[in-house]
Amino acid sequence: MKIGYPCINRGIGCTANSTFRLANYSPDNLVNKVTNNLACLKKILEYNVDNNLLFFRISSDLIPFASHPICEFKWQDYFKEHFSELGSFIKKNNIRISMHPDQFVLINSPKEEVVKKSIADLTWHCEVLDLMGLDDSAKVQIHVGGIYGDKESAINRFVRNYKKLPQPIKRRLAIENDERLYSVKDCLSVSEMTKVPIIFDSFHHSCLNDGQTMREALGLIQQTWNKHDGIPMTDYSSQQLNSKVGKHTEHIDIKDFRKYIKRTKGIDFDIMLEIKDKEKSALKAIKAISA
DNA sequence: AGTTGTCAAGCTAGT
DNA sequence: ACTAGCTTGACAACT
């Protein structure tokens, strides 16, 4: 079991997700930002290794506008060595990596244009992981998508479009249960038809489920992970008190976390802590499971 | 130097 | 038909 946090380290003094406005796009600007982002990513990963945090989500802002038509710059070639070096560090230290394109990436949209842009976005995410030389256990996670008035046809559209995806995307794509539309059960029916592995989000599951306990849900999604995919990835968070249902907590509720670990004992999975204070909570969590 | 509005992209639910 | 909210950090323009 590895513990990690997404995209940002709040204490280290640099960011690996610095971007700029589309209006300010230029190859120079891109090179500058990406150079800094990659340098910071290295620092974050070093910090993580030093602190036994061996699961990390790389920000989708690592390469700003990578899949936008404006970006004709061949960043893949320009930063080839950087990626390869980062990849070696990741492999040497046995770090698990994920990426999570945002809400605009929808492969089940009825709009062809949206699907096309989504595939372009998935392509660059996978290219980054490929340039690092990472195996199939480095995943790119998305949600199933919208309902568009008819869930069954929305699911069928996902399956149809999934089957047409290029192999470099298929080998890395994973779907995650969300808090409003697609539950673990829904994801399972998608996975049955596509063999796509499911990332279990415990917080979303507490918002939307079909009656399964955390343990039952984890047991179900575990079966969607093949050997080459690695052990299941999961997201963990908890409710921010006195806030709207679904809001992620500011700091880890270590009591709730311990309970979760206890209830899921015996199942091996990696945990991404989707918590605002990032590495601070991750340090508490790693301490809690090591104790 | 600090504050606030805005940012490439989409969908759902509520009016 | 239209818009706020999702959920969110950081850029960029403004005090």
Side-chain angles (χ1 to χ4, degrees), chain A residues 179-239:
Chain A
E179 78 284 21
R180 292 181 307 136
L181 308 176
Y182 291 93
S183 65
V184 166
K185 190 180 159 195
D186 298 324
C187 290
L188 281 164
S189 70
V190 172
S191 180
E192 210 169 291
M193 295 182 268
T194 56
K195 304 298 167 207
V196 67
I198 300 171
I199 293 182
F200 176 63
D201 187 308
S202 66
F203 187 38
H204 291 163
H205 186 67
S206 69
C207 300
L208 177 73
N209 63 70
D210 300 277
Q212 315 92 338
T213 63
M214 295 284 173
R215 188 184 184 81
E216 286 164 348
L218 252 177
L220 288 168
I221 68 98
Q222 190 181 29
Q223 296 161 27
T224 65
W225 291 77
N226 287 308
K227 194 160 191 298
H228 63 94
D229 294 315
I231 65 171
M233 283 183 177
T234 69
D235 289 341
Y236 168 88
S237 185
S238 61
Q239 175 67 35

Side-chain angles (χ1 to χ4, degrees), chain A residues 18 27 48 65 78 115 123 127 151 160 165 173 199 208 214 226-228 253 278 281 285 287:
Chain A
S18 182
N48 290 352
F65 302 103
Y78 189 92
V115 176
T123 300
E127 276 175 340
K151 200 170 194 175
R160 251 199 335 272
L165 291 175
L173 199 68
I199 293 182
L208 177 73
M214 295 284 173
N226 287 308
K227 194 160 191 298
H228 63 94
D253 177 345
K278 306 286 178 182
S281 283
K287 206 172 147 196

Side-chain angles (χ1 to χ4, degrees), chain A residues 36-65:
Chain A
N36 289 335
N37 285 345
L38 292 174
C40 184
L41 178 59
K42 181 76 190 292
K43 278 191 198 162
I44 294 176
L45 293 174
E46 284 167 353
Y47 171 95
N48 290 352
V49 168
D50 289 344
N51 290 281
N52 198 26
L53 299 172
L54 298 179
F55 187 18
F56 190 68
R57 182 184 298 163
I58 296 174
S59 168
S60 293
D61 281 329
L62 186 75
I63 321 284
F65 302 103

